[in-house]
Amino acid sequence: MVAVTSTRQPGVNPLARSYTQKDMPELPEVETIANGVHQRVHGQTILSVETSNKPQTFKSPPAEIASTLTRAHIDRVRRVGKTIVADLTLSSKKTAQFLIHLGMTGRLLVSDPETPVPPHTHATLTLSGGKELRFVDPRRFGRLSVSTEAYEGPGKEPLTIPLEDFIALFRGRKTPIKAALLNQSLLHGVGNIYADEALHHAGIRPRRHAGRLTRDELTRLRTALKKVLKKAIQLGGSSVSDYVDADGVAGFFQLHHFVYSRTGQPCRTCKTQIERIVIAGRSTHFCPTCQK
Ligand SMILES: [Zn+2]
């Protein structure tokens, strides 16, 4: 089992602070990118691999990544939590996985070989279809690794978790529900934006103890979480080429947020001013009237 460390630690690195939270990829953005890369590269063979050898970027040694990927067939590219997983069949017919964690500024680009290689390109895979798959990451919070064991991620998948399993996740937990939603070992892939939005749509205050929420509230929360994530994935689907095909640095698409980053603005439902508090070190936004 390869554990991919969460690289989202705003405030830890001085460079990280100047990069706003809305620009960091969350589950919907990662799913959009994974789907876009899948459409462009699946069924192809990796002919050769070049790496930058920057130590932070490579969770597996670059030489191991290169030897695993070279001559591998890309069966599928998909999202697990916030990690992009490429399922591979190696030339030995064994299976392996190439794991890409975008971190804060990591990008996967499918480019023509003639397109100038952008600065901070840490890996270039030459594909049998004639294009290159490039991993570009200026701030180097992203991570690349290979694994021969199936990667399942640290927690449960928020889009597919059954109701009873969802309810069981929070039983007996004394932490605020907002913190529990961000805990990647419970649900993986949920970040700050969609945690705030889901709690708003479920009518639940972010400071409530996770273990004290009623069955009805948790049922509403699961529905709201799936809804906001799916809506964002839908929205991202139309703009996938901005992330995967372009070499410029595009910001990620943004939903019409109800509470996130709207401190002091009127609630879209009741006009009460949206409040901001800090939970688990993260900015948290809610409507004091709609959320109980
Ligand atoms: Zn309200």
Side-chain angles (χ1 to χ4, degrees):
M1 180 80 165
V2 174
V4 172
T5 318
S6 167
T7 54
R8 296 180 61 175
Q9 300 171 14
V12 173
N13 181 316
L15 285 175
R17 249 179 260 136
S18 62
Y19 210 78
T20 57
Q21 289 175 349
K22 68 177 187 293
D23 293 312
M24 292 186 220
E26 289 202 19
L27 183 154
E29 291 87 353
V30 177
E31 172 122 350
T32 298
I33 293 163
N35 291 343
V37 172
H38 171 81
Q39 285 161 22
R40 288 158 177 79
V41 309
H42 83 277
Q44 298 186 40
T45 300
I46 300 164
L47 302 178
S48 62
V49 178
E50 272 178 62
T51 59
S52 70
N53 300 334
K54 295 281 186 212
Q56 301 98 314
T57 303
F58 298 94
K59 212 171 149 63
S60 305
E64 186 189 336
I65 292 181
S67 68
T68 304
L69 297 185
T70 303
R71 289 187 301 280
H73 180 266
I74 304 170
D75 300 323
R76 191 157 69 121
V77 181
R78 61 200 167 92
R79 176 193 62 79
V80 177
K82 272 189 279 196
T83 300
I84 296 171
V85 176
D87 295 311
L88 309 170
T89 301
L90 308 183
S91 53
S92 63
K93 298 297 168 206
K94 288 184 179 148
T95 56
Q97 295 186 316
F98 180 35
L99 307 179
I100 302 127
H101 196 279
L102 298 172
M104 293 170 66
T105 56
R107 308 190 74 215
L108 270 179
L109 303 172
V110 180
S111 308
D112 289 318
E114 306 82 62
T115 307
V117 176
H120 313 291
T121 297
H122 300 296
T124 301
L125 281 52
T126 302
L127 304 174
S128 56
K131 300 242 183 187
E132 290 181 351
L133 180 62
R134 297 169 176 173
F135 178 69
V136 182
D137 187 10
R139 287 171 206 252
R140 278 188 253 143
F141 286 98
R143 296 289 179 268
L144 302 179
S145 62
V146 286
S147 171
T148 51
E149 290 167 47
Y151 177 74
E152 287 169 3
K156 297 274 196 281
E157 193 54 55
L159 287 179
T160 52
I161 184 170
L163 178 62
E164 293 309 319
D165 295 359
F166 186 84
I167 289 170
L169 281 183
F170 303 105
R171 205 166 283 150
R173 294 205 174 257
K174 294 189 176 103
T175 51
I177 184 62
K178 165 73 185 273
L181 283 175
L182 295 179
N183 181 343
Q184 300 293 303
S185 65
L186 299 179
L187 287 169
H188 57 209
V190 180
N192 210 32
I193 300 174
Y194 299 103
D196 281 3
E197 293 294 304
L199 284 168
H200 178 70
H201 290 295
I204 298 167
R205 286 214 185 187
R207 252 206 254 273
R208 296 271 308 278
H209 282 189
R212 296 215 190 114
L213 294 180
T214 65
R215 188 184 171 82
D216 274 3
E217 286 172 326
L218 287 171
T219 304
R220 289 207 307 270
L221 180 57
R222 173 174 163 274
T223 304
L225 187 59
K226 284 170 68 171
K227 210 166 142 182
V228 293
L229 292 171
K230 281 183 177 169
K231 206 171 157 191
I233 290 167
Q234 238 174 19
L235 188 70
S238 57
S239 54
V240 60
S241 64
D242 292 350
Y243 316 118
V244 178
D245 294 327
D247 278 358
V249 177
F252 288 104
F253 53 86
Q254 276 189 70
L255 270 185
H256 192 54
H257 298 141
F258 277 72
V259 288
Y260 180 77
S261 210
R262 296 192 66 239
T263 311
Q265 295 179 46
C267 171
R268 298 195 198 279
T269 308
C270 73
K271 309 280 184 248
T272 306
Q273 282 193 2
I274 300 300
E275 288 185 13
R276 175 188 178 274
I277 54 175
V278 174
I279 295 178
R282 307 299 300 273
S283 279
T284 297
H285 314 80
F286 69 101
C287 170
T289 304
C290 293
Q291 293 173 250
K292 312 285 180 198

